[in-house]
Amino acid sequence: MYALVDCNNFYASCERVFQPQLMGKPIVILSNNDGCVISRSYEAKDLGIPMGAPEFKIRTELKQKNIHVFSSNYALYGDLSNRVMKILEAYTPNVEVYSIDESFMNFDGMQIQDFHGYGIQIKKRIQKWIGIPVCIGFADTKALSKVANKIAKKYQERTQGIYVIDTDEKRIKALKWTKIEDVWGIGSRLTKKMQARNILTAFDFTLPQNEGYIKKEMGVVGIRLKMELEGKSVLEMEEPKDKKNIAVTRSFDGNITTFGEMKERVSTFATVCAEKLRKQNSCCYGIILYLRKDKYKVATQQYSFYKMETLPFASNSSLTLSTVAIKMLHELFKEGEIYKKAGIIVTQIIPQDQKQFHLFEEENPKHQKLMKVMDDFHKKTGERKIRLGNQDLQRTWKMKQNHLSKKYTTDFKQIMEVKCN
């Protein structure tokens, strides 16, 4: 038996954990630089706020409807997500973190008589210990557990946020209820094609006469999905894997036209990439610099620029990656041009314990000791106070975050204070 645990309106729920006065109030969360709406509470959805709407276009509407607006607080969201996942691991060792607010659970080999009751236990513990509401769908396959979760979320009062598909009758009823666009793995492009073939529901997707078309359009992926919806488990739990590429890219809160300012940004991005490499015990051989100009203010059609450099030795040192990134910037940057975005991508990643040393050209061994001091301090305090000399000592990201809440769980200076009389 599988389960899909999904946190309800996760970003909005995280904000409510430390601001309970927002319970029942409409909330929207904005993307980087307070750009677009990326998350909405149920109340905001009911007021007609569309997903992806640019904030500047709906600013008046947000004020008129008394909608609470927050900038993305990924430090808070990531920490609460980790806490939720840790609770799930107490109920089964087989947990696959699917996204920041979703996880699959597998209960093979466990003797559980009442999955609905088991789901209630999980839901109550997460609500009590973390304060995040969740819905859980149980079924014999991962794809069906997705369907079960949608039913649990749609009819929360009736299901208590828990739904179990444990009979063929429930499975068929659930598939007939599920629209084809809501099936796991069916995007907007495939939805249009399916609807043109009169495949309107998940049940239609499983009909024998549609198998040939599904195989033609989706290949083996479509056949596996069809089998999953039929109750035949073919998708196994995935083990967490190290990333093959790591990217840190950001749009700027304003235009950048000088080399000095761009140098600081690029150095910071390279430093954070190096930090992420060390976190997963990896090194990289390749580093890519990405720059993007303001496409509305360039004379030519090209406004995105890339440059790649291969390192003579694998590295995860902030000093090394920053030096190489700045070297590429000298070659790519044009003074006076208007730039809106930049980024660093590290590639050709290998495990750190597989790094091969070179006889004539190698990294200074003191780098690793320095990196360890920087990482330990960051882990202890949650702040990047130890930085390279060419970095901005005041801010990590120069992003517009006018509605940012506190980092209640990751920064001692912003921890919540409780006064007892």
Side-chain angles (χ1 to χ4, degrees):
M1 182 68 79
Y2 289 88
L4 178 70
V5 182
D6 186 12
C7 302
N8 302 342
N9 297 131
F10 182 60
Y11 290 174
S13 295
C14 289
E15 299 291 352
R16 285 170 169 164
V17 168
F18 298 96
Q19 301 183 70
Q21 71 274 16
L22 297 178
M23 292 291 182
K25 303 290 180 64
I27 295 173
V28 298
I29 311 297
L30 303 178
S31 62
N32 291 337
N33 285 318
D34 291 346
C36 303
V37 174
I38 60 170
S39 181
R40 306 161 295 166
S41 65
Y42 292 124
E43 297 80 7
K45 293 177 185 178
D46 292 340
L47 291 174
I49 302 300
M51 181 67 86
E55 187 271 342
F56 74 92
K57 286 188 177 181
I58 61 171
R59 190 174 297 160
T60 302
E61 183 180 2
L62 293 173
K63 291 181 179 179
Q64 290 175 345
K65 295 181 177 180
N66 294 319
I67 296 174
H68 298 267
V69 180
F70 290 93
S71 303
S72 298
N73 189 342
Y74 294 119
L76 176 65
Y77 307 155
D79 183 64
L80 293 185
S81 173
N82 290 334
R83 294 176 187 229
V84 171
M85 304 313 168
K86 287 295 182 183
I87 291 177
L88 298 183
E89 291 172 0
Y91 288 90
T92 174
N94 301 315
V95 176
E96 175 192 333
V97 178
Y98 184 64
S99 67
I100 193 171
D101 62 344
E102 288 181 289
S103 278
F104 286 105
M105 304 174 73
N106 180 271
F107 302 96
D108 288 352
M110 299 178 63
Q111 300 298 321
I112 301 173
Q113 301 298 324
D114 179 13
F115 278 101
H116 188 274
Y118 202 62
I120 293 293
Q121 288 182 35
I122 298 172
K123 179 181 172 71
K124 286 184 176 179
R125 178 169 292 186
I126 294 173
Q127 180 68 57
K128 184 177 181 180
W129 288 12
I130 311 297
I132 300 293
V134 302
C135 287
I136 308 175
F138 291 89
D140 289 330
T141 71
K142 292 173 77 173
L144 281 175
S145 70
K146 273 270 192 179
V147 174
N149 184 274
K150 287 185 179 295
I151 295 173
K153 186 170 287 189
K154 178 70 174 179
Y155 304 103
Q156 290 191 50
E157 292 186 3
R158 192 186 311 174
T159 64
Q160 297 178 283
I162 312 293
Y163 190 73
V164 184
I165 298 178
D166 52 3
T167 66
D168 209 44
E169 181 182 359
K170 282 186 176 182
R171 180 185 67 83
I172 293 173
K173 185 177 180 181
L175 294 183
K176 289 181 177 180
W177 173 82
T178 304
K179 296 178 181 179
I180 188 64
E181 59 263 35
D182 293 330
V183 175
W184 185 30
I186 303 294
S188 57
R189 183 182 62 84
L190 278 172
T191 294
K192 293 177 181 178
K193 290 186 175 182
M194 296 292 173
Q195 290 173 341
R197 294 277 300 192
N198 205 35
I199 302 175
L200 305 178
T201 66
F203 181 74
D204 297 334
F205 190 87
T206 63
L207 295 177
Q209 62 264 32
N210 293 321
E211 184 171 339
Y213 178 74
I214 291 169
K215 186 174 183 180
K216 177 185 174 183
E217 289 293 329
M218 301 179 65
V220 67
V221 173
I223 298 302
R224 287 176 178 171
L225 177 57
K226 179 177 179 294
M227 294 175 69
E228 284 268 319
L229 294 175
E230 291 171 342
K232 305 167 187 174
S233 180
V234 294
L235 299 178
E236 301 294 334
M237 299 285 280
E238 295 184 3
E239 295 292 331
K241 299 178 181 179
D242 290 338
K243 297 178 180 179
K244 295 182 179 179
N245 296 301
I246 294 175
V248 177
T249 63
R250 292 293 184 274
S251 297
F252 307 129
D253 58 349
N255 296 329
I256 286 185
T257 58
T258 65
F259 180 83
E261 195 171 5
M262 182 65 80
K263 176 183 176 182
E264 191 278 329
R265 291 293 83 206
V266 167
S267 177
T268 296
F269 298 159
T271 298
V272 177
C273 278
E275 182 182 298
K276 291 183 177 183
L277 283 170
R278 296 193 297 272
K279 191 173 183 180
Q280 68 174 35
N281 297 315
S282 299
C283 297
C284 76
Y285 273 108
I287 178 170
I288 300 171
L289 170 64
Y290 161 65
L291 299 178
R292 192 177 78 184
K293 297 179 182 178
D294 187 338
K295 63 181 179 179
Y296 301 108
K297 298 180 181 179
V298 292
T300 62
Q301 291 184 343
Q302 184 180 5
Y303 55 88
S304 293
F305 303 86
Y306 293 86
K307 187 170 183 59
M308 180 175 178
E309 187 86 14
T310 299
L311 303 176
F313 44 80
S315 175
N316 57 19
S317 165
S318 298
L319 292 167
T320 299
L321 297 190
S322 176
T323 300
V324 175
I326 292 172
K327 175 179 173 290
M328 290 190 291
L329 184 63
H330 276 287
E331 301 172 8
L332 204 59
F333 186 86
K334 291 185 179 180
E335 197 79 28
E337 296 285 345
I338 300 174
Y339 293 88
K340 293 293 293 182
K341 188 175 183 178
I344 292 292
I345 304 166
V346 292
T347 184
Q348 301 177 45
I349 295 175
I350 63 168
Q352 188 170 0
D353 57 9
Q354 295 180 16
K355 176 180 178 181
Q356 294 191 12
F357 293 92
H358 299 260
L359 181 61
F360 299 107
E361 192 170 10
E362 188 52 68
E363 192 171 67
N364 189 329
K366 293 181 179 180
H367 283 202
Q368 290 303 314
K369 294 181 180 180
L370 177 59
M371 296 303 108
K372 187 178 186 307
V373 171
M374 293 173 65
D375 292 340
D376 289 346
F377 184 86
H378 181 208
K379 185 177 180 180
K380 182 178 180 180
T381 65
E383 298 180 339
R384 294 187 177 96
K385 289 294 186 182
I386 304 177
R387 305 183 191 177
L388 304 187
N390 55 16
Q391 288 183 260
D392 188 329
L393 298 179
Q394 300 302 318
R395 293 181 292 179
T396 302
W397 309 123
K398 290 186 176 179
M399 287 197 302
K400 182 168 61 176
Q401 294 178 308
N402 295 328
H403 311 281
L404 187 65
S405 56
K406 293 183 179 180
K407 300 174 183 177
Y408 296 101
T409 62
T410 60
D411 189 339
F412 277 109
K413 294 180 180 179
Q414 300 183 36
I415 195 169
M416 181 171 284
E417 295 181 2
V418 178
K419 296 182 179 179
C420 300
N421 295 324

